[in-house]
Amino acid sequence: MKTAHDLLQRYKLRLRRRRYLLRAWRKRWQLCRNTDRTDKITPDTILCFSTVRNERHRLPFFLFHHRQLGVGHFLFVDNGSDDGTADYLSNQDDVSLWTTQHSYRLSRFGADWLAWLQIKYGHGKWCLTLDADEIFIYPYYKTRSLHALVSWLEAEEEVSFGALMLDMYPKGPIGASDVAPGADPFKALSWFDSGNYTIERQSKLHNLWIQGGVRSRCFFHHEPRKAPTLSKTPLVKWNRRFAYVSSTHSLLPRRLNEVYDTGGGEKISGILLHTKFLPSIVQKSAEDLDRKQHFENSHLYESYYKSLLDNPNLWCSESQKFTGWRQLEKSGLMSRGGWI
């Protein structure tokens, strides 16, 4: 039986979701259409949405990998790049591109811009929402396409799919790894932390709150509760009434956050291989400190970005070398659930 408190909380969350959708509608004028190929989108096209800034060196592999999975069209918002990102994207046949010079932070870190595109183009379609430094994988991803995955999810009456963001890093100083622009980042970023994670279920939004990994170990070991949140829900069969709350860490309606089994079993889940620690991170950290656009509580993360300027070595004797998704499943970081 629902209590008065439960009903009030549901009402507040409904108002919050409507506010996010209204923000998206208001922020639509901040987007300038650069290249529009959305006429190529068909009812069964799997879409990928992303906001980018100065990611020219990452995008070739990002696009290659997700095309291989089965993404049929990419919708990008470029936020003031000056490294050729916009020109590169505008020349890709499966990309539609919008540009803006407005504040990333004041757009809820790009969520308002993408929400408008998701309302307009994503309704009724399976949509991936990713950062350019996130590479999405799932069980059997090398032999089974995204279309196979979403077909199975639909048969299970699931409309959202969870993933853990797994920080990948090199052995040695992060600025010294040898990765050519556009190349496979995992030639260098081949190590990860496998065991130092904590998990909680948030009662308000029903989302999982997972912390740990190399950033917690190296940068937040004195205050682990302030380490970045690693749980995300990047793949959703979209409805124009949906809205992300904080990046892709949580959504409204909150039932979309229930990407886990409350009965003690396991649901299928994926991994976002996080390529943040490419050599360019040293220069980008200096830029992020100056712009203060990439984190909400700058006083908490300022020391983190300053630490990156010191070109640290994140590797330790407990680091694991990545060999494939089965290794991640064995480590308990992802699951194939009932998808056999």
Side-chain angles (χ1 to χ4, degrees):
M1 181 177 178
K2 295 182 177 65
T3 66
H5 178 267
D6 292 333
L7 294 172
L8 178 60
Q9 188 173 72
R10 285 171 177 260
Y11 175 70
K12 287 182 176 179
L13 290 175
R14 188 160 58 247
L15 289 181
R16 186 178 180 184
R17 175 165 53 90
R18 290 175 178 174
R19 186 168 68 251
Y20 289 149
L21 295 176
L22 180 60
R23 282 177 62 100
W25 184 80
R26 288 176 172 171
K27 297 273 184 172
R28 74 194 191 285
W29 65 268
Q30 294 183 351
L31 298 177
C32 298
R33 185 183 289 106
N34 178 289
T35 307
D36 188 353
R37 299 186 179 96
T38 55
D39 59 331
K40 296 183 177 181
I41 297 174
T42 64
D44 64 344
T45 301
I46 295 175
L47 305 178
C48 181
F49 296 81
S50 185
T51 301
V52 294
R53 175 183 165 83
N54 289 341
E55 297 288 7
R56 174 66 181 84
H57 62 300
R58 276 194 174 94
L59 287 169
F61 185 82
F62 177 91
L63 291 170
F64 169 79
H65 173 84
H66 294 104
R67 284 167 178 156
Q68 292 291 104
L69 294 186
V71 171
H73 201 81
F74 298 83
L75 297 94
F76 283 97
V77 175
D78 181 85
N79 184 208
S81 294
D82 56 14
D83 70 341
T85 289
D87 289 340
Y88 175 77
L89 289 174
S90 66
N91 287 318
Q92 305 300 308
D93 290 341
D94 53 359
V95 167
S96 292
L97 175 66
W98 289 259
T99 61
T100 182
Q101 295 289 340
H102 287 269
S103 170
Y104 180 72
R105 182 173 59 84
L106 295 180
S107 71
R108 292 198 303 125
F109 309 99
D112 291 335
W113 300 327
L114 294 186
W116 171 247
L117 299 180
Q118 287 159 341
I119 289 170
K120 192 169 183 181
Y121 301 107
H123 180 72
K125 297 176 178 62
W126 282 94
C127 298
L128 262 177
T129 303
L130 302 172
D131 293 334
D133 60 8
E134 294 174 339
I135 300 298
F136 179 62
I137 66 171
Y138 51 85
Y140 309 107
Y141 74 97
K142 288 192 173 182
T143 55
R144 301 184 191 177
S145 71
L146 268 174
H147 286 280
L149 174 61
V150 300
S151 294
W152 187 84
L153 290 172
E154 288 183 353
E156 295 294 307
E157 298 184 343
E158 301 286 351
V159 295
S160 55
F161 181 89
L164 173 74
M165 185 166 64
L166 186 65
D167 289 311
M168 307 296 294
Y169 52 88
K171 187 175 184 179
I174 57 177
S177 56
D178 185 17
V179 182
D184 181 349
F186 304 113
K187 298 291 185 182
L189 308 184
S190 54
W191 300 85
F192 67 96
D193 281 23
S194 63
N196 56 331
Y197 296 90
T198 62
I199 182 169
E200 291 184 20
R201 179 181 182 271
Q202 300 298 296
S203 59
K204 186 175 183 180
L205 291 176
H206 295 182
N207 59 306
L208 296 180
W209 188 17
I210 302 176
Q211 293 174 290
V214 66
R215 282 186 287 173
S216 179
R217 171 170 60 85
C218 292
F219 305 113
F220 295 89
H221 53 279
H222 295 305
E223 297 179 286
R225 297 290 294 178
K226 294 179 180 178
T229 303
L230 304 177
S231 44
K232 291 195 168 188
T233 306
L235 180 62
V236 178
K237 187 170 186 181
W238 205 258
N239 184 292
R240 61 174 62 95
R241 294 188 177 92
F242 295 170
Y244 278 112
V245 175
S246 174
S247 177
T248 56
H249 298 300
S250 56
L251 299 102
L252 289 171
R254 62 183 179 181
R255 60 182 169 81
L256 300 172
N257 299 318
E258 296 172 359
V259 292
Y260 47 87
D261 192 327
T262 58
E266 289 187 359
K267 276 190 177 182
I268 188 173
S269 62
I271 291 284
L272 297 172
L273 297 174
H274 195 205
T275 68
K276 185 179 184 70
F277 296 116
L278 288 175
S280 59
I281 186 62
V282 178
Q283 177 183 343
K284 288 179 73 70
S285 295
E287 180 184 349
D288 290 343
L289 273 170
D290 181 59
R291 296 180 71 238
K292 298 190 187 313
Q293 290 286 305
H294 289 263
F295 41 95
E296 190 168 8
N297 299 310
S298 58
H299 64 287
L300 297 179
Y301 282 83
E302 187 170 340
S303 61
Y304 163 54
Y305 280 88
K306 286 182 176 177
S307 297
L308 290 172
L309 296 179
D310 293 332
N311 195 22
N313 182 358
L314 306 180
W315 189 90
C316 73
S317 61
E318 299 300 315
S319 298
Q320 297 289 313
K321 190 163 188 177
F322 177 64
T323 60
W325 72 266
R326 293 181 187 274
Q327 173 198 28
L328 301 180
E329 183 183 42
K330 187 176 180 180
S331 299
L333 299 177
M334 67 183 295
S335 174
R336 70 185 114 175
W339 198 31
I340 305 300

